[in-house]
Amino acid sequence: TILVLDFGSQTAQLIARRVRDQHVFCQLVRHDLSAKRIKELAPKGLILSGGPASVYADGSPQVDPEIFELGIPILGICYGMQAACKAMGCEIKPSTSREFGHTEILRKDGGDLFAGLPEKFTAWMSHGDRVENLHENFVVLAETVDCPNAAIKHRERELYGIQFHPEVTHTQHGENLIGNFIREICGCEGSWKISSFIEQECEVIRERVGNSRVICGLSGGVDSSVTAALLYKAIGSQLTCIFVDNGLLRNGEREQVEYEFGEHFKTDLHVVDARDRFLNGLAGVSDPQEKRKIIGKTFIDVFKDESKDIDDARFLAQGTLYPDVIESGANPDGPAATIKYHHNVGGLPKELGFELIEPMRMLFKDEVRLMGKELGLPDKLIWRHPFPGPGLAVRCLGAVNAERLATLREADAIFIDELYESNYYHKVQQAFAVLLPLQTVGVMGDARTYEDVIAIRSVDTDNFMTADWSRLPYDLLQRVSTRIINSVRGVNRVVYDVSSKPPSTIEWE
Ligand code: XMP
């Protein structure tokens, strides 16, 4: 294991990702985790992340100085380097010229950290402070035009510092540098694989569950599907899956769940037809937050009703992922939340009385996909775009009813189909149709029409916090528009959403 001490950098998670890419397990922990606790966790190496603060500012995050006495190799990145240097008696000062963006790194010395890297390469920098008056215990490994100490090493200890960010893709050879640290310097073997994780996790689940039953709520999305597939592998017939058909699903979604978890994996699948219950609750409601509330509450009620008759059910499996765990601050060793991401609504409350099983709480999204593939789920499901908990209700602007939902579902299916056909589905991160709450004039044949408008939305994004509208080809948009207007009854106009987030959001409600 490698531990990343998180000083609040936006790229701390990325460091962990990069380490895992090299098949070494890695966890994010709080920056001030005590040396004693680190010793107990017995990692093979420590990486100190970057961070937004200045090390000389009051109350800035510091490391436990004892960690430098543990004999564990340490790599400090940006703020992490400055924090390490400060602890080792160097001076940190504001730079005369701040370095942001691409910078040329000039190597001065070899050393294991730079093994195999060229003499010059471009790296991504983002710092206002730098290490001055380097202590004589350090040697300089690399410099830039503005920064004489761009990479350093302690003479006697396995302590390295780099001022640039090897974890971002803008830095050339960043993965080699991280690889050198974790393999050559820390001695990690790189044997962490998703298949061994699956075996381990299955053991843990079997042990914990014993003869009891586990309930897993399926949503049709990737996370809950992979969770269910993993539990099925671990405990087979002791798993009950519950899928609530709320009438707000995408085309074919229910059938796909029925096939995957009823036929392919023969789980004890309960499909609850709650369409009327949801639609009755939503009748006449057009405020988006109100819709969300009603849907969340109805979901819990339906789930409660369905689960109370399941004998021996003691556990509830959930597809919580590592980023949620990090941001919730739930792990006492983990970093405190720095940025809040969008949290899923429709989470099930404690009062249901189940013990939680969260087998993916250590995994990132792409690792979950790998796991899904390994467990035999189809690519179509594994790579499906995210879908909001309140479903089509927040894409059916204004009043929600069965007829309008059917119109929207049909238009959405055409758009998605065309994206697949043109190989654009996997190039964009989320795409969907929205039914607007207004009519416009059109002409069909000789007759005037006054019908609905469908908006189509497609976004390119890394993390759904910011997004840009996808530059889809005009002829693709043309085909989507023609097909929707020709075949979806009651629609006479299609528009394409060209707004980025911010200031717009991805969804329209
Ligand atoms: P926005 O619209 O806020 O969406 O830019 C960002 C991402 O979150 C999804 N989203 C939701 N997911 N419940 C969810 O589970 C919700 O109420 C909800 N609202 C938005 C959205 O689809 C996008 O991926």
Side-chain angles (χ1 to χ4, degrees), residues 292 342 344-345 386-390 395 430 464 501 505-507:
R292 281 192 168 80
H342 205 113
N344 251 7
V345 295
F387 188 57
R395 295 175 180 174
Q430 198 172 12
F464 298 90
K501 171 184 179 177
T505 51
I506 296 173
E507 302 288 346

Side-chain angles (χ1 to χ4, degrees), residues 274-285:
R275 287 178 292 182
D276 290 344
R277 215 161 147 177
F278 279 86
L279 291 193
N280 290 340
L282 287 167
V285 179

Side-chain angles (χ1 to χ4, degrees), residues 211-453:
N211 295 322
S212 303
R213 180 158 288 283
V214 180
I215 296 182
C216 180
L218 288 171
S219 71
V222 187
D223 304 344
S224 65
S225 298
V226 177
T227 305
L230 179 68
L231 274 136
Y232 184 69
K233 183 176 168 77
I235 56 168
S237 60
Q238 282 165 263
L239 173 68
T240 293
C241 290
I242 298 181
F243 178 71
V244 176
D245 182 351
N246 57 11
L248 307 167
L249 305 170
R250 289 168 287 190
N251 194 39
E253 201 154 17
R254 173 172 169 170
E255 292 73 12
Q256 187 176 32
V257 169
E258 283 172 334
Y259 174 76
E260 283 307 327
F261 295 94
E263 287 180 46
H264 174 83
F265 299 118
K266 293 188 172 35
T267 72
D268 172 33
L269 174 65
H270 297 213
V271 175
V272 188
D273 188 345
R275 287 178 292 182
D276 290 344
R277 215 161 147 177
F278 279 86
L279 291 193
N280 290 340
L282 287 167
V285 179
S286 43
D287 178 70
Q289 288 313 93
E290 194 60 23
K291 287 182 190 174
R292 281 192 168 80
K293 263 193 224 148
I294 292 167
I295 293 164
K297 182 174 179 314
T298 311
F299 180 77
I300 290 164
D301 290 347
V302 171
F303 201 89
K304 233 187 216 166
D305 287 353
E306 188 63 26
S307 59
K308 72 170 185 270
D309 299 330
I310 298 170
D311 292 336
D312 310 325
R314 206 176 118 199
F315 297 94
L316 182 71
Q318 285 194 333
T320 315
L321 303 195
Y322 196 40
D324 302 328
V325 174
I326 295 170
E327 277 132 31
S328 69
N331 179 351
D333 289 338
T338 43
I339 323 163
K340 281 277 167 221
Y341 287 85
H342 205 113
H343 280 282
N344 251 7
V345 295
L348 291 160
K350 283 209 180 100
E351 83 232 23
L352 287 178
F354 294 115
E355 293 174 43
L356 282 188
I357 295 189
E358 297 174 311
M360 297 188 311
R361 64 200 316 281
M362 283 300 162
L363 301 184
F364 289 103
K365 189 84 178 187
D366 47 343
E367 292 169 329
V368 169
R369 293 201 164 105
L370 271 178
M371 190 177 203
K373 185 140 187 78
E374 186 83 20
L375 290 167
L377 287 169
D379 283 350
K380 227 175 172 154
L381 202 166
I382 291 173
W383 291 100
R384 193 157 209 192
H385 291 170
F387 188 57
L392 296 185
V394 291
R395 295 175 180 174
C396 190
L397 308 196
V400 179
N401 57 47
E403 197 191 348
R404 298 192 75 223
L405 287 167
T407 304
L408 172 59
R409 191 175 290 122
E410 209 183 325
D412 187 70
I414 291 172
F415 182 30
I416 299 303
D417 182 54
E418 288 293 338
L419 286 170
Y420 266 116
E421 283 300 308
S422 57
N423 287 324
Y424 264 85
Y425 186 81
H426 297 303
K427 291 184 192 153
V428 304
Q429 279 64 55
Q430 198 172 12
F432 52 88
V434 179
L435 178 61
L436 306 195
L438 57 103
Q439 277 74 46
T440 67
V441 173
V443 51
M444 277 195 195
D446 289 330
R448 176 186 184 276
T449 58
Y450 190 58
E451 292 181 330
D452 286 330
V453 184

Side-chain angles (χ1 to χ4, degrees), residues 76 88 124 137 308 339 394 480:
M88 303 297 284
W124 196 74
N137 285 340
K308 72 170 185 270
I339 323 163
V394 291
V480 174

